[in-house]
Amino acid sequence: MNFHVLTLFPEAFDGVKHSMIKRAMDDEKISINTVYIRDFAINSRRQTDDYPYGGGAGMIIRPEPIYDAWQSLNLPKSRVVYLTPSGKVFNQALAQELSQETDLILLCGHYEGIDQRIIDEIVTDEISIGDYVLTGGELAAMVVIDAVARLVQDVIKPESLAHESFSDGLLEYPQYTRPTEFLGRKVPEILLSGHHGEIAKWRHEKALESTSRKRPDLLREKL
């Protein structure tokens, strides 16, 4: 899968190229291509922003450099995701859907936003990572890349994904490893029993318990 990021700060994406993402890139399962919007600025000062019509605080990214940056990819049929607080809230189901794409274009806004005509012309999806405002779309784009990339086929073993939080609409059950006792707290005996059926039952019960306590809204959605 290929991620193409339209951004004013391409160097920011060095921060996502570690751990599992780096291994997936080394194995050519995913690629991250950053496109520097400023390279497509329309004047010698490489200006990409301007004052908003109608007045108001802040600056708006002009439509021309974004459009030309998008055209340079020559992927007219690929989905274009604009990271914006006004978008649909990102979740695991949407990450799974996006992971089926061959090419995914992520558009990072900055300043007070981007010209609406670009959104109307090229954007297919508007996505938010939460009900708060960031300085720009780069951090949000990195969240989307990380969440989507790990769902791409063969990036992670399927059995590792099967019982994650949100995989079945529940939060994940508690996990334990060595030592069997730490600061007076012991690993639950059932996990040491070797009875896989009983362990699976315990884990499901604990997942339900955790979800009910921490995210009861998820249980309401399952009803």
Side-chain angles (χ1 to χ4, degrees):
M1 179 177 185
N2 307 305
F3 296 94
H4 308 275
V5 188
L6 309 181
T7 174
L8 287 170
F9 300 94
E11 66 277 7
F13 290 86
D14 292 340
V16 78
K17 299 175 183 178
H18 298 283
S19 185
M20 177 207 71
I21 297 294
K22 185 178 187 303
R23 290 195 299 272
M25 293 176 67
D26 290 344
D27 293 340
E28 299 184 347
K29 293 182 173 65
I30 68 167
S31 68
I32 301 174
N33 167 41
T34 54
V35 181
Y36 190 25
I37 294 172
R38 202 174 299 280
D39 283 342
F40 299 87
I42 62 172
N43 57 37
S44 59
R45 292 184 293 119
R46 305 184 78 193
Q47 181 181 357
T48 58
D49 59 341
D50 214 326
Y51 295 102
Y53 281 126
M59 304 289 277
I60 307 296
I61 303 179
R62 296 176 62 116
E64 307 99 323
I66 297 176
Y67 186 76
D68 290 344
W70 170 73
Q71 278 202 317
S72 75
L73 293 172
N74 195 27
L75 295 168
K77 296 183 179 180
S78 294
R79 290 172 75 165
V80 179
V81 173
Y82 175 42
L83 288 311
T84 170
S86 62
K88 178 181 180 180
V89 177
F90 189 57
N91 59 22
Q92 191 72 3
L94 184 51
Q96 183 65 57
E97 178 186 327
L98 294 176
S99 73
Q100 305 305 307
E101 301 292 324
T102 299
D103 292 277
L104 184 65
I105 302 171
L106 301 171
L107 172 57
C108 303
H110 215 78
Y111 312 120
E112 288 299 309
I114 67 176
D115 190 292
Q116 180 64 39
R117 290 168 292 184
I118 274 293
I119 299 172
D120 296 339
E121 185 68 27
I122 71 170
V123 169
T124 60
D125 303 82
E126 295 183 54
I127 289 177
S128 167
I129 62 167
D131 294 338
Y132 48 86
V133 179
L134 298 171
T135 304
E138 283 73 21
L139 285 172
M142 283 187 270
V143 167
V144 171
I145 289 172
D146 190 275
V148 172
R150 62 194 308 281
L151 298 175
V152 172
Q153 185 175 358
D154 297 329
V155 169
I156 293 181
K157 293 179 180 179
E159 56 266 31
S160 297
L161 299 173
H163 300 292
E164 289 188 316
S165 291
F166 309 112
S167 61
D168 58 358
L170 300 175
L171 301 183
E172 192 172 15
Y173 47 77
Q175 298 275 20
Y176 298 87
T177 186
R178 293 180 176 85
T180 55
E181 183 173 343
F182 176 70
L183 298 179
R185 298 175 183 271
K186 296 181 179 181
V187 174
E189 288 293 331
I190 186 64
L191 298 179
L192 308 176
S193 69
H195 298 305
H196 299 296
E198 291 300 313
I199 290 172
K201 180 181 177 182
W202 179 89
R203 285 175 167 170
H204 181 68
E205 289 172 352
K206 289 299 179 181
L208 281 170
E209 181 183 304
S210 178
T211 306
S212 177
R213 185 175 69 255
K214 299 176 182 178
R215 290 290 305 276
D217 57 299
L218 294 176
L219 292 179
R220 288 195 294 270
E221 290 173 5
K222 289 173 69 68
L223 297 177

